[in-house]
Amino acid sequence: MLHDNNQHQLSVISVVEIGGVGKTTLAQCVYNNAELMKGFDLKAWICVSEDFDVVEITRNVIKEISQDTSCLENFNSPQLALKGLFTIFVTSRRENVGSIVQNYCPYFFNGLSDEYCWSVFADNASFPKTSNGSSELEEGIGKCDGLPLAAETLGRLLCTKHDVKEWNKILMSNLWGFFVTDSKIIPALFISYFHLPAYLKRCFVYCSLYPKGYQFNKDELILLWMAEDLLRPVKRGETLVEVGRECFDDLASKLFFKQLQDNERSFVMHDLLHDLAKFLAGDFYCC
C-alpha cells in the first residue's frame, strides 16, 4: 500500500483494531525498514493521545523534520508547509478515526491464531515451542484473545515458573472475569500486575503521572522513586540506587517498560499499560 499511491491516490493509510494486537509494532517495523522506506525523503514519528491539540501535533512534526522552526508561531504556515509532503500511516483503536482521516478502507489488523499466540507465549516463558501434545500446557491460551501483548506479558510472568500447576493457577484466577464498564484494561495485564510485589506495584502506578508515549529516562525515574520512598528497603551492602535499578529491571523484564531501539537509557510504556496504571491510581495521584 505504501508503494501503491499512484493507483489508489493514497495520502493516508490507517490500521485499525483493538489495543495490544500489534498495530504500533507493525508501524515501527515499517518505519525502521530501510528497504521499505526507499523513496520517502522525510520521516517523523508522532504519538497522539486521546486529548490532542492539532497545533501542537503539527509543531511536533515540523520539529521532527526540520531545523527551521521559524514558522511555528503561525498555525497556517506549518499546515501549508506539510500539505502534500507526507504519506501518513495512522494506527488507531477506533474505526471512525480510520474512516475520518481517509476515504480508502482502513486495514483491519486481526489477532493471532491460538497456535501463533502459543508460540509468542512460549518464547517469552522459555517454554518449548511445542508442548509435545500436553493439553495441560496449551489449555487456556485462548484467554489471550489473539493479542500478542497479552501472550508476551503472561509469558514473562511465567518465565521463572516452568510448572503446569503455576500456569493452571493463573488460568483459574478470578481476575479473568475482571470487568469495568468502558474499561480498556486487558485481564492478562491486570493479572501480571497482581503478581508483582507491593513495592513494584507502587513504582508502576506512579508512572500514571506521565502522559502516554512519554520517554522515561531510567536513571531519572529511579531518582524520583527514591524521592517518593517507593522502593523496597535496602539490604546490607546495597545502595538505594542499586535497589532502584533492580526494581526498574524487574518491571522491564515483565514488559511494563520497553527499551527504545536507539537509546539504551530511554524506555516507553505501552498505551494499555498506561491505561492500567491510570485506572489503578484512581484519584490517588493528580497531575
Side-chain angles (χ1 to χ4, degrees):
M1 292 172 74
L2 280 170
H3 294 282
D4 199 23
N5 282 356
N6 290 334
Q7 180 179 344
H8 293 298
Q9 298 297 310
L10 298 180
S11 59
V12 181
I13 296 169
S14 58
V15 176
V16 178
E17 197 43 80
I18 61 173
V21 79
K23 301 181 299 297
T24 301
T25 300
L26 172 65
Q28 286 173 335
C29 286
V30 172
Y31 187 81
N32 294 318
N33 188 305
E35 189 65 28
L36 288 174
M37 289 291 101
K38 280 183 179 177
F40 292 93
D41 299 322
L42 300 173
K43 291 201 322 181
W45 182 277
I46 303 295
C47 183
V48 181
S49 63
E50 287 99 332
D51 302 317
F52 64 88
D53 182 288
V54 175
V55 178
E56 190 60 31
I57 292 169
T58 306
R59 286 174 176 164
N60 287 337
V61 174
I62 292 287
K63 290 175 185 176
E64 284 275 317
I65 65 172
S66 174
Q67 298 294 322
D68 181 11
T69 58
S70 59
C71 64
L72 293 183
E73 297 306 315
N74 185 325
F75 176 62
N76 287 327
S77 295
Q79 288 283 308
L80 292 173
L82 291 177
K83 189 175 182 179
L85 288 179
F86 285 107
T87 291
I88 303 173
F89 190 164
V90 178
T91 65
S92 176
R93 301 181 200 172
R94 301 176 182 176
E95 184 177 349
N96 65 330
V97 172
S99 301
I100 289 168
V101 298
Q102 69 177 78
N103 53 21
Y104 187 73
C105 183
Y107 177 77
F108 290 93
F109 203 60
N110 296 322
L112 300 179
S113 66
D114 283 354
E115 180 184 358
Y116 278 114
C117 223
W118 172 262
S119 180
V120 172
F121 170 84
D123 270 343
N124 285 275
S126 299
F127 280 5
K129 284 288 183 69
T130 172
S131 58
N132 297 320
S134 171
S135 59
E136 283 186 283
L137 280 176
E138 291 192 7
E139 181 186 358
I141 198 65
K143 287 182 179 287
C144 292
D145 292 326
L147 301 180
L149 179 64
E152 283 181 309
T153 306
L154 284 179
R156 294 298 180 94
L157 176 60
L158 285 166
C159 67
T160 57
K161 304 175 181 179
H162 293 180
D163 189 331
V164 174
K165 289 182 180 178
E166 290 291 338
W167 181 219
N168 284 335
K169 278 182 189 176
I170 289 172
L171 289 178
M172 298 302 291
S173 171
N174 292 330
L175 294 175
W176 287 108
F178 172 78
F179 177 78
V180 177
T181 304
D182 297 327
S183 174
K184 308 166 192 171
I185 310 305
I186 295 176
L189 304 186
F190 192 71
I191 288 171
S192 294
Y193 166 82
F194 182 80
H195 282 83
L196 293 176
Y199 60 89
L200 288 185
K201 289 178 179 176
R202 294 194 297 266
C203 291
F204 168 66
V205 174
Y206 175 80
C207 296
S208 66
L209 289 167
Y210 294 84
K212 281 186 179 180
Y214 185 84
Q215 293 185 14
F216 291 93
N217 177 282
K218 178 179 177 178
D219 296 328
E220 181 182 89
L221 184 59
I222 288 168
L223 291 175
L224 290 166
W225 284 343
M226 290 166 56
E228 296 289 349
D229 195 24
L230 301 177
L231 303 175
R232 67 165 174 79
V234 176
K235 297 175 184 176
R236 180 174 295 179
E238 288 181 324
T239 67
L240 197 53
V241 171
E242 288 172 339
V243 172
R245 287 175 182 158
E246 177 197 287
C247 291
F248 189 96
D249 291 343
D250 280 352
L251 286 170
S253 72
K254 294 176 174 62
L255 296 182
F256 286 89
F257 294 106
K258 192 169 185 178
Q259 186 176 347
L260 294 178
Q261 289 184 337
D262 57 349
N263 191 332
E264 63 179 17
R265 308 306 296 172
S266 292
F267 293 76
V268 293
M269 182 178 285
H270 192 283
D271 285 359
L272 292 178
L273 284 163
H274 187 272
D275 290 339
L276 176 62
K278 286 195 73 171
F279 171 79
L280 293 165
D283 296 327
F284 186 75
Y285 287 119
C286 180
C287 61

